[in-house]
Amino acid sequence: MDVKDFYFDLPQELIAQDPLEDRSSSRLLVLDKDTGEVTHRIFKNVTEYLKPGDCLVINDTKVIPARLFGAKKDTLAKIELLLLKRREADIWETLVKPGKKAKPGTEIVFGDGLLTGTIIDTVEDGNRLIQFHYDGIFEEILDQLGQMPLPPYITHQLKDKNRYQTVYATHEGSAAAPTAGLHFTKELLAQIEEMGVKIARVTLHVGLGTFRPVKVDNVLDHHMHSEFYMVDEAEAKKINDAKAAGGRVICVGTTSCRTIESATGEDGILKAGSGWTEIFIYPGYRFKILDGLITNFHLPESTLVMLVSALAGREHILHAYQEAIRERYRFFSFGDAMLILEDPEGRRREG
Protein backbone atom coordinates (compact mmCIF):
# COMPACT_ATOMS: atom_id res chain seq x y z
CA MET A 1 0.00 0.00 0.00
CA ASP A 2 1.71 3.15 -1.27
CA VAL A 3 1.53 6.37 0.74
CA LYS A 4 1.00 8.24 -2.57
CA ASP A 5 -2.39 6.51 -2.83
CA PHE A 6 -3.56 8.95 -0.16
CA TYR A 7 -2.36 12.13 -1.83
CA PHE A 8 -4.62 14.98 -2.94
CA ASP A 9 -3.79 18.50 -4.04
CA LEU A 10 -4.97 21.04 -1.48
CA PRO A 11 -4.91 24.78 -2.23
CA GLN A 12 -3.10 26.62 0.58
CA GLU A 13 -5.89 29.18 0.93
CA LEU A 14 -8.28 26.45 2.15
CA ILE A 15 -6.22 25.85 5.32
CA ALA A 16 -8.27 27.54 8.06
CA GLN A 17 -6.15 29.99 10.06
CA ASP A 18 -8.76 31.13 12.58
CA PRO A 19 -11.71 29.53 14.37
CA LEU A 20 -15.23 30.67 13.46
CA GLU A 21 -16.98 32.90 15.97
CA ASP A 22 -19.78 30.35 16.39
CA ARG A 23 -18.32 26.86 16.84
CA SER A 24 -21.36 25.03 15.48
CA SER A 25 -21.76 27.17 12.34
CA SER A 26 -18.95 25.41 10.47
CA ARG A 27 -19.92 23.37 7.44
CA LEU A 28 -20.62 19.64 7.60
CA LEU A 29 -20.05 17.25 4.73
CA VAL A 30 -22.12 14.11 5.29
CA LEU A 31 -20.66 11.01 3.62
CA ASP A 32 -22.49 7.72 3.14
CA LYS A 33 -19.65 5.30 3.80
CA ASP A 34 -21.20 2.57 1.65
CA THR A 35 -22.29 4.48 -1.45
CA GLY A 36 -19.97 7.50 -1.34
CA GLU A 37 -22.95 9.86 -1.64
CA VAL A 38 -22.22 13.35 -0.29
CA THR A 39 -24.57 15.90 1.32
CA HIS A 40 -23.65 19.45 2.35
CA ARG A 41 -24.99 20.76 5.65
CA ILE A 42 -24.11 23.03 8.61
CA PHE A 43 -22.55 21.40 11.69
CA LYS A 44 -25.49 22.11 14.01
CA ASN A 45 -27.58 19.95 11.61
CA VAL A 46 -25.66 16.92 12.97
CA THR A 47 -28.67 16.32 15.27
CA GLU A 48 -30.69 15.23 12.23
CA TYR A 49 -28.35 12.26 11.76
CA LEU A 50 -28.42 11.02 15.36
CA LYS A 51 -31.11 8.76 16.82
CA PRO A 52 -32.28 7.88 20.34
CA GLY A 53 -30.17 4.97 21.58
CA ASP A 54 -27.03 6.09 19.74
CA CYS A 55 -23.88 6.81 21.74
CA LEU A 56 -21.65 9.76 20.92
CA VAL A 57 -18.07 9.23 22.14
CA ILE A 58 -16.03 12.36 22.95
CA ASN A 59 -12.39 12.79 23.96
CA ASP A 60 -12.25 15.02 27.04
CA THR A 61 -8.48 15.62 27.00
CA LYS A 62 -7.33 19.18 27.67
CA VAL A 63 -4.52 20.87 25.76
CA ILE A 64 -1.80 22.30 27.96
CA PRO A 65 -0.02 25.56 26.94
CA ALA A 66 2.94 23.38 26.06
CA ARG A 67 5.10 25.82 24.05
CA LEU A 68 7.72 27.58 26.18
CA PHE A 69 10.25 30.21 25.14
CA GLY A 70 13.43 30.52 27.19
CA ALA A 71 17.16 31.11 27.02
CA LYS A 72 20.34 29.23 27.92
CA LYS A 73 21.47 30.34 31.35
CA ASP A 74 25.11 30.84 30.33
CA THR A 75 24.86 32.44 26.86
CA LEU A 76 21.24 33.74 26.85
CA ALA A 77 20.81 32.05 23.42
CA LYS A 78 17.08 31.65 22.70
CA ILE A 79 15.54 28.18 23.02
CA GLU A 80 12.01 26.99 22.22
CA LEU A 81 10.59 24.01 24.10
CA LEU A 82 7.50 21.92 23.38
CA LEU A 83 6.27 19.64 26.17
CA LEU A 84 5.34 16.23 24.73
CA LYS A 85 4.69 13.97 27.71
CA ARG A 86 5.29 13.92 31.44
CA ARG A 87 7.62 11.05 32.30
CA GLU A 88 7.54 11.50 36.10
CA ALA A 89 6.92 14.35 38.55
CA ASP A 90 8.88 17.30 37.09
CA ILE A 91 10.63 15.40 34.27
CA TRP A 92 9.15 15.91 30.78
CA GLU A 93 9.97 14.61 27.33
CA THR A 94 10.27 17.66 25.08
CA LEU A 95 11.00 18.80 21.57
CA VAL A 96 13.73 21.46 21.63
CA LYS A 97 14.68 24.02 18.97
CA PRO A 98 17.51 24.38 18.17
CA GLY A 99 18.51 20.93 19.37
CA LYS A 100 22.23 21.59 19.07
CA LYS A 101 21.97 24.06 21.96
CA ALA A 102 20.30 21.51 24.24
CA LYS A 103 22.94 18.97 25.23
CA PRO A 104 22.65 17.13 28.57
CA GLY A 105 23.60 19.50 31.37
CA THR A 106 22.23 22.58 29.60
CA GLU A 107 20.31 24.90 31.93
CA ILE A 108 17.40 26.92 30.52
CA VAL A 109 15.66 29.90 32.11
CA PHE A 110 11.99 30.79 31.42
CA GLY A 111 10.07 33.90 32.46
CA ASP A 112 12.86 35.77 34.26
CA GLY A 113 13.63 32.70 36.35
CA LEU A 114 10.05 31.87 37.37
CA LEU A 115 10.78 28.46 35.84
CA THR A 116 14.14 26.83 35.11
CA GLY A 117 15.05 23.48 33.62
CA THR A 118 18.02 21.18 33.14
CA ILE A 119 18.41 18.89 30.10
CA ILE A 120 19.19 15.45 31.55
CA ASP A 121 19.10 13.12 28.52
CA THR A 122 18.52 12.70 24.78
CA VAL A 123 15.92 10.05 23.87
CA GLU A 124 14.10 8.63 20.83
CA ASP A 125 13.67 10.95 17.79
CA GLY A 126 16.20 13.37 19.31
CA ASN A 127 13.71 14.50 21.94
CA ARG A 128 15.15 15.80 25.24
CA LEU A 129 14.29 14.93 28.82
CA ILE A 130 14.22 18.05 30.97
CA GLN A 131 13.87 18.38 34.74
CA PHE A 132 12.04 21.52 35.81
CA HIS A 133 12.68 23.58 38.95
CA TYR A 134 10.22 26.12 40.36
CA ASP A 135 8.38 27.37 43.43
CA GLY A 136 4.61 26.88 43.53
CA ILE A 137 2.31 24.85 41.27
CA PHE A 138 3.72 23.80 37.89
CA GLU A 139 0.38 23.99 36.05
CA GLU A 140 -0.18 27.58 37.21
CA ILE A 141 3.31 28.61 36.09
CA LEU A 142 2.80 26.87 32.75
CA ASP A 143 -0.51 28.66 32.26
CA GLN A 144 1.29 31.95 32.89
CA LEU A 145 4.34 31.35 30.66
CA GLY A 146 3.22 28.83 28.05
CA GLN A 147 1.52 29.27 24.70
CA MET A 148 -0.90 26.93 22.94
CA PRO A 149 1.02 24.52 20.66
CA LEU A 150 -0.83 25.30 17.44
CA PRO A 151 -0.07 23.07 14.45
CA PRO A 152 2.72 24.27 12.11
CA TYR A 153 0.26 25.05 9.30
CA ILE A 154 -1.51 27.69 11.44
CA THR A 155 0.44 30.93 11.18
CA HIS A 156 -2.03 33.33 12.81
CA GLN A 157 -1.76 34.17 16.50
CA LEU A 158 -4.63 32.69 18.55
CA LYS A 159 -6.44 35.50 20.39
CA ASP A 160 -8.31 33.28 22.85
CA LYS A 161 -6.59 30.14 24.24
CA ASN A 162 -9.98 28.52 24.86
CA ARG A 163 -10.74 28.35 21.15
CA TYR A 164 -8.14 25.56 20.86
CA GLN A 165 -10.00 23.62 23.57
CA THR A 166 -13.25 21.68 23.33
CA VAL A 167 -16.02 22.92 25.62
CA TYR A 168 -15.79 19.61 27.50
CA ALA A 169 -11.98 19.53 27.94
CA THR A 170 -11.21 18.14 31.42
CA HIS A 171 -8.03 16.07 31.78
CA GLU A 172 -4.84 18.02 31.06
CA GLY A 173 -2.15 16.36 29.00
CA SER A 174 -2.48 16.98 25.25
CA ALA A 175 0.03 18.68 22.98
CA ALA A 176 -2.75 19.18 20.40
CA ALA A 177 -6.53 19.48 20.45
CA PRO A 178 -8.92 16.71 19.38
CA THR A 179 -10.16 19.11 16.74
CA ALA A 180 -13.38 17.40 15.63
CA GLY A 181 -14.73 18.30 19.07
CA LEU A 182 -14.14 22.02 18.54
CA HIS A 183 -17.44 22.26 16.62
CA PHE A 184 -19.59 21.42 19.63
CA THR A 185 -21.14 23.99 21.96
CA LYS A 186 -22.55 23.15 25.38
CA GLU A 187 -26.01 23.96 24.03
CA LEU A 188 -25.63 21.56 21.10
CA LEU A 189 -24.43 18.76 23.41
CA ALA A 190 -27.41 19.36 25.71
CA GLN A 191 -29.76 19.19 22.73
CA ILE A 192 -28.20 15.88 21.65
CA GLU A 193 -28.63 14.39 25.13
CA GLU A 194 -32.27 15.55 25.25
CA MET A 195 -32.83 13.55 22.05
CA GLY A 196 -31.99 10.36 23.93
CA VAL A 197 -28.43 10.04 22.63
CA LYS A 198 -25.90 8.95 25.24
CA ILE A 199 -22.66 10.91 25.49
CA ALA A 200 -19.67 8.88 26.67
CA ARG A 201 -16.34 10.42 27.64
CA VAL A 202 -12.98 8.81 27.03
CA THR A 203 -9.52 10.38 27.28
CA LEU A 204 -6.61 10.20 24.88
CA HIS A 205 -3.78 12.69 25.26
CA VAL A 206 -2.94 13.78 21.74
CA GLY A 207 0.77 13.75 20.89
CA LEU A 208 2.70 15.69 18.26
CA GLY A 209 2.93 12.53 16.19
CA THR A 210 -0.49 13.60 14.90
CA PHE A 211 1.28 16.16 12.71
CA ARG A 212 4.31 14.09 11.74
CA PRO A 213 4.32 13.10 8.06
CA VAL A 214 4.55 9.48 6.94
CA LYS A 215 8.16 9.22 5.76
CA VAL A 216 8.06 5.73 4.25
CA ASP A 217 6.79 4.77 0.80
CA ASN A 218 5.00 1.64 2.02
CA VAL A 219 2.23 2.47 4.50
CA LEU A 220 2.80 -0.85 6.28
CA ASP A 221 6.35 0.22 7.23
CA HIS A 222 5.13 3.25 9.19
CA HIS A 223 5.49 3.13 12.99
CA MET A 224 2.74 4.97 14.87
CA HIS A 225 3.54 7.24 17.80
CA SER A 226 2.41 6.20 21.28
CA GLU A 227 -0.39 8.02 23.13
CA PHE A 228 -1.87 7.54 26.61
CA TYR A 229 -5.59 6.76 26.96
CA MET A 230 -8.11 6.18 29.75
CA VAL A 231 -11.56 4.58 29.65
CA ASP A 232 -13.66 4.75 32.81
CA GLU A 233 -15.87 1.80 33.84
CA ALA A 234 -19.10 3.84 33.71
CA GLU A 235 -18.29 5.26 30.28
CA ALA A 236 -17.37 1.84 28.88
CA LYS A 237 -20.75 0.56 30.11
CA LYS A 238 -22.58 3.38 28.29
CA ILE A 239 -20.91 2.43 25.02
CA ASN A 240 -21.33 -1.34 25.44
CA ASP A 241 -24.99 -0.96 26.49
CA ALA A 242 -25.77 1.24 23.49
CA LYS A 243 -24.15 -1.27 21.14
CA ALA A 244 -25.91 -4.23 22.73
CA ALA A 245 -29.28 -2.46 22.40
CA GLY A 246 -28.77 -1.87 18.68
CA GLY A 247 -27.64 1.74 18.91
CA ARG A 248 -24.77 3.12 16.88
CA VAL A 249 -21.42 4.12 18.38
CA ILE A 250 -20.35 7.38 16.75
CA CYS A 251 -16.96 8.82 17.66
CA VAL A 252 -16.12 12.50 17.69
CA GLY A 253 -12.65 12.58 16.18
CA THR A 254 -9.98 10.08 15.23
CA THR A 255 -8.61 10.19 18.80
CA SER A 256 -11.88 8.88 20.28
CA CYS A 257 -11.93 6.28 17.52
CA ARG A 258 -8.38 5.11 18.26
CA THR A 259 -9.17 4.98 21.99
CA ILE A 260 -12.20 2.72 21.81
CA GLU A 261 -10.76 0.53 19.06
CA SER A 262 -7.61 0.06 21.18
CA ALA A 263 -9.60 -0.85 24.28
CA THR A 264 -12.10 -3.19 22.57
CA GLY A 265 -11.45 -6.93 22.46
CA GLU A 266 -12.08 -9.24 19.51
CA ASP A 267 -15.42 -10.03 21.18
CA GLY A 268 -16.56 -6.45 20.47
CA ILE A 269 -16.70 -5.52 24.16
CA LEU A 270 -15.03 -2.26 25.24
CA LYS A 271 -12.93 -2.77 28.36
CA ALA A 272 -12.31 -0.09 30.97
CA GLY A 273 -8.71 0.72 31.79
CA SER A 274 -5.76 2.85 30.78
CA GLY A 275 -2.55 2.38 28.83
CA TRP A 276 -0.53 3.41 25.81
CA THR A 277 -1.76 2.81 22.28
CA GLU A 278 0.13 2.70 18.99
CA ILE A 279 -2.87 1.50 17.00
CA PHE A 280 -2.54 2.24 13.27
CA ILE A 281 -5.82 2.10 11.37
CA TYR A 282 -5.60 1.92 7.56
CA PRO A 283 -7.65 0.27 4.77
CA GLY A 284 -8.24 -3.39 5.51
CA TYR A 285 -8.78 -2.76 9.22
CA ARG A 286 -12.00 -4.27 10.63
CA PHE A 287 -13.65 -1.94 13.14
CA LYS A 288 -14.61 -3.74 16.34
CA ILE A 289 -17.09 -1.29 17.88
CA LEU A 290 -17.24 2.00 15.94
CA ASP A 291 -20.13 2.61 13.54
CA GLY A 292 -19.67 6.24 12.55
CA LEU A 293 -17.25 9.14 12.83
CA ILE A 294 -17.31 12.92 13.04
CA THR A 295 -13.97 14.26 11.88
CA ASN A 296 -12.23 17.24 10.31
CA PHE A 297 -10.49 17.28 6.93
CA HIS A 298 -6.93 15.98 7.22
CA LEU A 299 -3.51 16.44 5.61
CA PRO A 300 -2.67 14.60 2.37
CA GLU A 301 -0.82 11.30 2.91
CA SER A 302 -1.42 11.46 6.69
CA THR A 303 -2.31 8.54 8.96
CA LEU A 304 -5.63 10.31 9.62
CA VAL A 305 -6.62 10.18 5.94
CA MET A 306 -5.71 6.49 6.06
CA LEU A 307 -7.95 6.00 9.10
CA VAL A 308 -11.03 7.57 7.50
CA SER A 309 -10.25 5.59 4.33
CA ALA A 310 -10.42 2.41 6.40
CA LEU A 311 -13.94 3.38 7.43
CA ALA A 312 -15.39 4.63 4.15
CA GLY A 313 -13.00 3.37 1.48
CA ARG A 314 -10.14 5.29 -0.12
CA GLU A 315 -12.06 6.12 -3.31
CA HIS A 316 -15.05 7.49 -1.39
CA ILE A 317 -12.83 9.58 0.87
CA LEU A 318 -10.76 11.07 -1.96
CA HIS A 319 -13.94 11.83 -3.90
CA ALA A 320 -15.46 13.52 -0.84
CA TYR A 321 -12.25 15.54 -0.33
CA GLN A 322 -12.33 16.69 -3.98
CA GLU A 323 -15.94 17.71 -3.49
CA ALA A 324 -14.97 19.63 -0.32
CA ILE A 325 -12.16 21.41 -2.21
CA ARG A 326 -14.53 22.28 -5.05
CA GLU A 327 -17.06 23.66 -2.54
CA ARG A 328 -14.30 25.65 -0.74
CA TYR A 329 -14.56 23.88 2.61
CA ARG A 330 -12.07 24.97 5.27
CA PHE A 331 -9.41 22.35 6.10
CA PHE A 332 -7.50 21.07 9.14
CA SER A 333 -7.72 22.05 12.84
CA PHE A 334 -9.94 25.16 12.62
CA GLY A 335 -11.70 23.93 9.49
CA ASP A 336 -15.03 22.30 8.67
CA ALA A 337 -16.22 18.80 9.54
CA MET A 338 -17.28 15.53 7.97
CA LEU A 339 -19.78 12.96 9.26
CA ILE A 340 -19.18 9.41 8.02
CA LEU A 341 -22.10 7.02 8.52
CA GLU A 342 -23.85 4.11 6.87
CA ASP A 343 -27.05 5.34 5.19
CA PRO A 344 -27.02 8.73 7.01
CA GLU A 345 -30.18 9.91 5.25
CA GLY A 346 -32.10 6.77 6.29
CA ARG A 347 -33.08 6.00 2.69
CA ARG A 348 -32.35 2.29 2.71
CA ARG A 349 -34.93 0.46 4.81
CA GLU A 350 -35.02 -3.18 5.79
CA GLY A 351 -37.62 -5.38 4.19
Side-chain angles (χ1 to χ4, degrees):
M1 195 181 306
D2 197 317
V3 67
K4 293 184 179 63
D5 292 340
F6 300 91
Y7 176 79
F8 59 92
D9 189 28
L10 178 69
Q12 281 287 116
E13 67 269 18
L14 295 187
I15 299 175
Q17 292 295 324
D18 302 289
L20 296 180
E21 190 171 333
D22 173 15
R23 291 173 183 260
S24 62
S25 66
S26 52
R27 297 170 76 185
L28 179 69
L29 185 150
V30 182
L31 174 64
D32 186 322
K33 72 184 187 69
D34 291 336
T35 68
E37 184 178 352
V38 164
T39 309
H40 302 289
R41 305 300 305 276
I42 300 298
F43 190 81
K44 59 187 69 173
N45 300 140
V46 72
T47 54
E48 298 173 25
Y49 300 93
L50 302 174
K51 298 185 290 192
D54 287 344
C55 185
L56 198 66
V57 184
I58 59 178
N59 179 8
D60 65 3
T61 187
K62 190 171 187 178
V63 185
I64 58 174
R67 179 165 275 125
L68 287 164
F69 295 91
K72 286 183 69 175
K73 188 176 181 179
D74 53 358
T75 65
L76 299 183
K78 292 181 179 179
I79 286 186
E80 179 183 342
L81 211 70
L82 193 61
L83 305 183
L84 299 179
K85 62 180 79 163
R86 186 178 235 147
R87 289 292 192 93
E88 55 179 278
D90 295 319
I91 297 176
W92 285 75
E93 183 177 336
T94 65
L95 184 66
V96 182
K97 293 182 185 177
K100 62 184 179 182
K101 294 180 181 176
K103 295 173 182 174
T106 300
E107 294 187 15
I108 308 171
V109 179
F110 307 93
D112 297 325
L114 189 61
L115 178 69
T116 62
T118 306
I119 304 291
I120 58 175
D121 200 3
T122 301
V123 293
E124 189 181 2
D125 294 329
N127 295 339
R128 304 307 201 267
L129 291 187
I130 183 169
Q131 178 147 26
F132 287 110
H133 314 281
Y134 54 90
D135 290 322
I137 299 171
F138 181 76
E139 286 74 16
E140 290 181 359
I141 294 170
L142 189 61
D143 196 50
Q144 187 176 336
L145 299 180
Q147 294 184 13
M148 279 299 187
L150 294 179
Y153 47 74
I154 293 179
T155 57
H156 290 190
Q157 188 75 30
L158 185 62
K159 295 173 184 174
D160 178 2
K161 280 184 183 180
N162 287 326
R163 291 313 306 272
Y164 196 56
Q165 300 279 21
T166 62
V167 296
Y168 45 78
T170 305
H171 297 107
E172 293 187 333
S174 271
T179 54
L182 296 179
H183 303 284
F184 286 93
T185 62
K186 289 182 178 178
E187 293 76 17
L188 181 56
L189 286 168
Q191 183 183 349
I192 288 169
E193 280 195 298
E194 287 167 9
M195 291 170 53
V197 175
K198 294 180 182 178
I199 295 180
R201 290 171 170 252
V202 298
T203 306
L204 181 136
H205 292 321
V206 189
L208 268 198
T210 297
F211 305 119
R212 285 200 176 124
V214 177
K215 295 180 179 177
V216 293
D217 293 331
N218 187 343
V219 170
L220 305 184
D221 293 335
H222 177 68
H223 177 68
M224 281 293 284
H225 56 289
S226 180
E227 293 172 318
F228 183 75
Y229 74 88
M230 298 181 291
V231 180
D232 184 77
E233 190 78 53
E235 304 306 300
K237 187 176 188 306
K238 279 185 194 176
I239 297 167
N240 287 328
D241 286 353
K243 191 80 173 179
R248 298 171 301 176
V249 174
I250 300 167
C251 282
V252 177
T254 57
T255 59
S256 300
C257 164
R258 293 179 68 239
T259 301
I260 67 169
E261 287 295 315
S262 296
T264 298
E266 293 303 322
D267 58 1
I269 303 297
L270 175 63
K271 295 168 181 61
S274 63
W276 295 85
T277 179
E278 296 178 353
I279 190 171
F280 183 15
I281 297 175
Y282 52 84
Y285 178 85
R286 295 178 66 86
F287 288 88
K288 294 178 281 190
I289 194 165
L290 174 141
D291 297 298
L293 181 67
I294 296 169
T295 185
N296 280 19
F297 292 91
H298 307 295
L299 281 76
E301 298 182 349
S302 65
T303 59
L304 303 179
V305 166
M306 295 169 195
L307 185 153
V308 294
S309 296
L311 181 60
R314 185 181 70 90
E315 293 80 8
H316 289 167
I317 288 295
L318 292 181
H319 173 263
Y321 270 53
Q322 290 306 324
E323 180 77 8
I325 291 167
R326 192 161 42 247
E327 294 291 329
R328 311 297 289 175
Y329 273 65
R330 301 161 74 247
F331 274 64
F332 305 164
S333 296
F334 288 140
D336 295 315
M338 174 189 280
L339 170 64
I340 304 172
L341 270 181
E342 179 185 356
D343 191 20
E345 303 290 344
R347 290 174 180 152
R348 301 190 293 279
R349 305 294 182 189
E350 291 184 12

